Amino acid sequence: MFTTRLSRILLAGLVCLFVLPLFSLSVRADEQSEAQFFAPTKESPYEGIPGRLRYNVRIVLVEQDKQGNYIARRDSSTVSKRQLAATVIAAARYYAQEKRAAVVSITLDSQPGPAFGKTVLATATYAPDGKGVSGSDDWTWNTLQATPRGLTAQELKIQRLWGEMRGEFQVDGSTDEGRLKAAIAKKLKLPVEKVRLNPVFPEPFPQEWTD
């Protein structure tokens, strides 16, 4: 079983200017299944069912810069599907214990920032008592999914620009993606076919990975 511990509170110089706590994770010996350092960008507790606290948390992968500050990871392409899965599993276990939540839902985003400047790398929903969201369901883990890998620095930059520039290409309430892609391609000096908001997509991972 993965366990987690709160290592220390740090001022993280993330792009989104959040001050985030860093979580240090104990890991398996197998490097391909180890959880990565992460920090929360948004925590949303609520009690949809009386007496059953639900905790929704969005997190990002973090790393240290040359000054020793923790920032959003600038290239996560070497992070495997198994490692992405291990990270959301570890985060779910941490919040369930720390917040005494009946249900914890974790979303691992590719980076901080606006909704259209990032994508989901992994998700997990955890009910420690095995009773699901309602308290009368019969599951402990749900929505287990992860992308095949993290994203390259270039893919993350494309996403950031997509979020920043999207507002300039609105036509009748929708985004002119063709023109937006062309603008991003010109800015980064890339072929337009290389500009994709979603270079990878989440896919299910096995329940056995939570053991």
Side-chain angles (χ1 to χ4, degrees), residues 70-143:
Y70 282 89
I71 62 172
R73 195 154 172 169
R74 293 161 289 189
D75 186 328
S76 60
S77 59
T78 60
V79 181
S80 68
K81 179 179 180 178
R82 189 71 182 264
Q83 291 171 322
L84 294 170
T87 303
V88 291
I89 290 166
R93 286 200 167 110
Y94 169 79
Y95 278 101
Q97 181 177 353
E98 183 72 11
K99 303 300 181 180
R100 297 182 179 180
V103 183
V104 175
S105 293
I106 302 292
T107 300
L108 172 57
D109 291 316
S110 57
Q111 60 190 342
F116 292 99
K118 60 190 176 188
T119 52
V120 173
L121 296 181
T123 64
T125 301
Y126 178 44
D129 61 6
K131 298 180 180 179
V133 172
S134 70
S136 58
D137 295 324
D138 184 24
W139 56 262
T140 301
W141 291 97
N142 208 339
T143 64

Side-chain angles (χ1 to χ4, degrees), residues 13-188:
L14 285 115
V15 176
C16 57
L17 304 181
F18 289 135
V19 176
L20 303 176
L22 171 75
F23 292 86
S24 176
L25 313 173
S26 63
V27 301
R28 298 179 191 266
D30 178 7
E31 292 184 358
Q32 287 305 306
S33 64
E34 65 183 22
Q36 306 294 291
F37 284 104
F38 68 91
T41 58
K42 184 177 182 180
E43 300 181 25
S44 305
Y46 70 97
E47 198 169 286
I49 296 174
R52 198 161 180 80
L53 176 64
R54 182 166 183 175
Y55 220 83
N56 293 341
V57 188
R58 303 193 81 96
I59 63 174
V60 293
L61 301 177
V62 296
E63 64 181 356
Q64 279 186 296
D65 63 14
K66 292 180 180 179
Q67 288 71 45
N69 298 313
Y70 282 89
I71 62 172
R73 195 154 172 169
R74 293 161 289 189
D75 186 328
S76 60
S77 59
T78 60
V79 181
S80 68
K81 179 179 180 178
R82 189 71 182 264
Q83 291 171 322
L84 294 170
T87 303
V88 291
I89 290 166
R93 286 200 167 110
Y94 169 79
Y95 278 101
Q97 181 177 353
E98 183 72 11
K99 303 300 181 180
R100 297 182 179 180
V103 183
V104 175
S105 293
I106 302 292
T107 300
L108 172 57
D109 291 316
S110 57
Q111 60 190 342
F116 292 99
K118 60 190 176 188
T119 52
V120 173
L121 296 181
T123 64
T125 301
Y126 178 44
D129 61 6
K131 298 180 180 179
V133 172
S134 70
S136 58
D137 295 324
D138 184 24
W139 56 262
T140 301
W141 291 97
N142 208 339
T143 64
L144 300 176
Q145 57 179 353
T147 54
R149 59 169 176 81
L151 302 186
T152 66
Q154 180 174 281
E155 289 167 342
L156 290 170
K157 186 177 292 185
I158 288 170
Q159 287 188 347
R160 282 195 297 273
L161 289 174
W162 193 291
E164 292 169 5
M165 299 171 65
R166 178 176 174 272
E168 303 171 25
F169 297 91
Q170 297 301 299
V171 179
D172 297 328
S174 62
T175 304
D176 186 336
E177 292 193 359
R179 290 177 57 231
L180 175 55
K181 288 180 179 180
I184 293 173
K186 182 178 180 180
K187 193 175 187 69
L188 297 180

